[in-house]
Amino acid sequence: MKLYIILTILLTLGAALTPFVSVFNHEKPQAVQTEQFEPESESAAEEALEKEPDTSPATIKVLRTGSGKIVEKEIFEYVKGAVAAEMPPTYEKEALKAQAVACYTYALWLKENSESFDVSGADVSDSPIYHQGFLDDDELRDKWGEKFEEYMTAISEAVSAVIGEYLEYNGEPIMACYHSISTGKTESAENAWGTDVPYLQSVRADGDILSPDIDSSITLSDEQFREAAQALEGAELSENSKEWVKKPDATDSGYVTKISIGSKEFSGSDVRSAFSLKSPAFTIKKTEKGFLFSVKGYGHLVGMSQYSADYMARQGSDYKDILLHFYKGATLIKSQA
């Protein structure tokens, strides 16, 4: 689920959100001597998994953005393809299971809110920019090559274990936002997008500080900066490049809430998009070569951190622990016939 849909729904419905970009080549996180996540007791986890009559859809219509065609997929096949597109297949099984529940939850939410966006009569598109990624078996064979059987087995087993389970809040499927890597702490929907969503609060994501991809940077010349800033409507830049950027306002996680570029204030998300940054948690420093952007995290930083989901799984947490950690106050539902 992507930022465009998030902002659209926040404007129209006033409370909701979505997932984002995934990274496919993370190294495995290693255990460190930090305060560990402690899995909930078995009884507490089981109590969290409530059961309801089976009202889940048997199929879902997916708009394939490459061809413009709509294909109808069984829910298992759809969730399998969504997980394969959105999370590295080498992640721990409990992390893959958590991702499967998040993908399925989002599919349910989209079906209930399809009037809010145009997908040409489908329930969801496979766009990793606007909705949620999806790859079919042929595409995955091309992507994974000789690893196809190994990776597909891992994902299929994870999806099979949780198919039919979803997250809800106040009786409705949630918009189960996720992102690749946080700054070590996820961001709340209120700070990120201006609307408080009870199940999308800022929480610790200890595993992310171990990611080799948590830090990134780019340097732009003055000319390159000026060209990129044209995407920021109203950002009029003076002749003196030292005056172009002021110190940003940021949250505890490092998420930039507002920053002045030229003559106007913008959100961190606006700047991230204009300058193709990996996340809205960044600093900008004027140097002799131009402007240095130092960035933390990957994605919009709201909801489940996929890297920390894998880390938690390696520390002994199961998928319920992971989901209920990142989606505070949500309830895990199991459809049953």
Side-chain angles (χ1 to χ4, degrees):
M1 288 175 268
K2 308 303 176 192
L3 185 58
Y4 175 85
I5 292 298
I6 294 171
L7 297 178
T8 300
I9 299 307
L10 285 176
L11 289 172
T12 57
L13 303 181
L17 317 224
T18 52
F20 212 90
V21 181
S22 299
V23 180
F24 289 89
N25 296 311
H26 295 321
E27 295 178 8
K28 298 297 186 181
Q30 303 297 314
V32 293
Q33 297 302 312
T34 61
E35 182 180 350
Q36 301 296 307
F37 290 101
E38 295 185 3
E40 298 181 18
S41 67
E42 184 174 350
S43 60
E46 288 302 320
E47 288 175 3
L49 186 56
E50 298 184 2
K51 294 184 177 181
E52 288 191 351
D54 186 11
T55 58
S56 59
T59 61
I60 187 168
K61 295 178 182 177
V62 184
L63 174 62
R64 303 309 310 269
T65 52
S67 65
K69 296 181 179 179
I70 294 175
V71 296
E72 191 165 5
K73 294 288 183 179
E74 293 183 353
I75 284 296
F76 176 81
E77 291 300 317
Y78 171 73
V79 175
K80 185 179 69 173
V83 172
E86 294 285 358
M87 178 174 270
T90 54
Y91 273 13
E92 287 291 298
K93 186 173 183 178
E94 294 303 310
L96 292 170
K97 287 159 71 173
Q99 183 68 56
V101 174
C103 288
Y104 180 54
T105 300
Y106 177 52
L108 294 180
W109 184 90
L110 274 177
K111 285 180 70 71
E112 293 188 5
N113 295 276
S114 59
E115 74 282 354
S116 300
F117 35 82
D118 182 14
V119 285
S120 303
D123 299 312
V124 59
S125 81
D126 64 3
S127 168
I129 299 174
Y130 298 109
H131 284 176
Q132 179 168 254
F134 170 83
L135 297 172
D136 62 25
D137 284 1
D138 289 339
E139 291 166 318
L140 290 170
R141 283 191 180 91
D142 290 339
K143 180 179 180 62
W144 291 336
E146 63 183 19
K147 291 285 189 178
F148 174 79
E149 294 297 337
E150 176 187 345
Y151 290 165
M152 185 52 68
T153 296
I155 290 175
S156 296
E157 289 177 354
V159 174
S160 295
V162 298
I163 194 67
E165 296 181 31
Y166 63 95
L167 294 155
E168 72 167 25
Y169 187 86
N170 283 345
E172 300 291 337
I174 71 170
M175 293 187 74
C177 296
Y178 53 85
H179 58 280
S180 293
I181 311 165
S182 78
T183 63
K185 187 177 183 181
T186 69
E187 191 50 77
S188 70
E190 183 172 20
N191 284 338
W193 299 308
T195 297
D196 182 39
V197 179
Y199 52 81
L200 292 175
Q201 302 299 318
S202 177
V203 300
R204 286 171 43 198
D206 291 352
D208 290 340
I209 62 175
L210 304 173
S211 170
D213 300 313
I214 189 172
D215 293 306
S216 60
S217 64
I218 62 170
T219 297
L220 300 179
S221 67
D222 289 2
E223 182 179 350
Q224 290 171 325
F225 186 99
R226 184 186 288 276
E227 182 178 353
Q230 292 177 3
L232 298 171
E233 186 175 356
E236 298 180 4
L237 303 181
S238 67
E239 293 300 318
N240 185 357
S241 61
K242 294 181 179 180
E243 300 175 345
W244 290 356
V245 178
K246 291 184 173 61
K247 184 178 180 179
D249 290 344
T251 67
D252 290 343
S253 72
Y255 190 104
V256 173
T257 53
K258 61 181 179 180
I259 182 172
S260 292
I261 304 288
S263 57
K264 189 175 178 181
E265 280 190 348
F266 298 93
S267 70
S269 293
D270 291 335
V271 175
R272 178 197 178 196
S273 177
F275 292 91
S276 300
L277 307 179
K278 285 189 175 181
S279 95
F282 59 85
T283 59
I284 308 176
K285 182 180 180 180
K286 185 70 176 77
T287 69
E288 293 182 358
K289 294 182 178 180
F291 291 86
L292 171 64
F293 289 81
S294 298
V295 187
K296 286 254 182 212
Y298 199 155
H300 54 48
L301 309 183
V302 180
M304 184 177 72
S305 160
Q306 295 171 313
Y307 199 91
S308 271
D310 189 51
Y311 172 80
M312 289 178 67
R314 291 176 182 280
Q315 303 306 307
S317 297
D318 69 11
Y319 75 100
K320 301 186 193 84
D321 298 320
I322 294 168
L323 292 168
L324 298 182
H325 172 74
F326 286 109
Y327 304 110
K328 296 296 187 185
T331 302
L332 193 55
I333 300 297
K334 172 67 174 179
S335 297
Q336 63 174 1

